[in-house]
Amino acid sequence: MGVYGYGTSGGEIPEGYIDVTLPGGRDMNILHPAYPGSVYHTTKCLDALLWQFYQKNDQLRITDLHQGVVWGTNTPQTVKDERLVNRFDYDGDYGTVLNRFLLQGAMGVPLTVYGTGGQTRAFIHITDTAKCIEIAMLNPPQKGDRVKIFNQVAETRRIRDIAKLVADQTGAGVNFLPNPRNEADENELDVSNRSFCNLGLVPKTLDDGLFEEVTDVIKKYRNRCNPQKILPASFWNKAQ
């Protein structure tokens, strides 16, 4: 969801396009304005504009998936063979917040929450990620259609609430650290995911077997964990 930035325009983030009234009372449906919060998210915004250009210039049929934070380690297919298990990043640069919390909880060390934990993020299980890609492939835009945009998310949660969820399940403590990122302490994030749901997606939420699936993987490979990599080592501005 980084294409839009983590703020809110005062309502639900639509799936790519938003209705506006231009000067003179002209009603139009335009690409949602981007407001990226990092260089990484800026590259996503550039991608979105390139898709718009290639569709307009070359009549390509393009589907753009705006995905939330992925959690979980296996799909029903990958669980059949250990060699197919998904990578599990937990470090300060590539590890997602939920992976970090789950790893810390399984190892019995305090969860590290950046800032107030008031940041709201969109989440989706890896099984649903694969399902969404399948649905998108089976429902492509027609030639000449504008870029089809799906919000590939299951739900939104506040970081401190997720920390409490994991801490309650594991008995781990929670430490609040200075935020290494340059972002708002608190934000709202209301995201539409109606397109995928209307096409048959039944999202798996964080309450559905959140810990049991990942715990098995963590316990099996915990010897590969380097605790020195868990805390952030990269900072978003010189003042930090």
Side-chain angles (χ1 to χ4, degrees), residues 148-168:
K148 180 180 284 190
I149 300 176
F150 290 111
N151 286 341
Q152 190 167 299
V153 302
E155 60 183 325
T156 60
R157 294 284 189 103
R158 212 172 283 277
I159 298 302
R160 58 174 170 256
D161 295 335
I162 295 175
K164 184 178 185 305
L165 181 65
V166 176
D168 287 347

Side-chain angles (χ1 to χ4, degrees), residues 64-119:
D64 187 6
L65 304 179
H66 293 179
Q67 180 170 268
V69 178
V70 178
W71 65 280
T73 53
N74 276 307
T75 69
Q77 291 75 35
T78 61
V79 76
K80 295 178 180 179
D81 192 301
E82 184 181 35
R83 293 171 296 177
L84 301 176
V85 175
N86 187 50
R87 59 187 288 172
F88 189 89
D89 294 315
Y90 60 87
D91 63 281
D93 289 324
Y94 295 100
T96 60
V97 61
L98 189 50
N99 276 4
R100 186 174 76 248
F101 286 170
L102 292 172
L103 178 72
Q104 291 170 321
M107 297 185 69
V109 300
L111 314 184
T112 50
V113 176
Y114 298 164
T116 67
Q119 310 91 328

Side-chain angles (χ1 to χ4, degrees), residues 125-225:
H125 188 268
I126 190 170
T127 296
D128 289 338
T129 293
K131 182 64 177 178
C132 285
I133 294 173
E134 178 187 18
I135 291 174
M137 291 176 63
L138 295 174
N139 295 273
Q142 299 299 310
K143 186 174 180 62
D145 287 351
R146 67 182 182 177
V147 176
K148 180 180 284 190
I149 300 176
F150 290 111
N151 286 341
Q152 190 167 299
V153 302
E155 60 183 325
T156 60
R157 294 284 189 103
R158 212 172 283 277
I159 298 302
R160 58 174 170 256
D161 295 335
I162 295 175
K164 184 178 185 305
L165 181 65
V166 176
D168 287 347
Q169 291 192 33
T170 63
V174 178
N175 285 346
F176 289 82
L177 306 180
N179 195 343
R181 302 178 176 185
N182 184 15
E183 60 186 2
D185 291 333
E186 308 272 336
N187 75 278
E188 301 298 326
L189 189 63
D190 184 13
V191 182
S192 171
N193 65 349
R194 283 185 288 276
S195 291
F196 274 131
C197 291
N198 289 339
L199 291 170
L201 178 69
V202 181
K204 181 180 179 68
T205 66
L206 293 177
D207 294 320
D208 299 336
L210 164 66
F211 201 62
E212 56 192 44
E213 172 204 342
V214 184
T215 301
D216 291 340
V217 172
I218 293 174
K219 288 182 176 178
K220 187 172 183 177
Y221 300 105
R222 64 185 301 167
N223 63 303
R224 298 184 183 180
C225 172

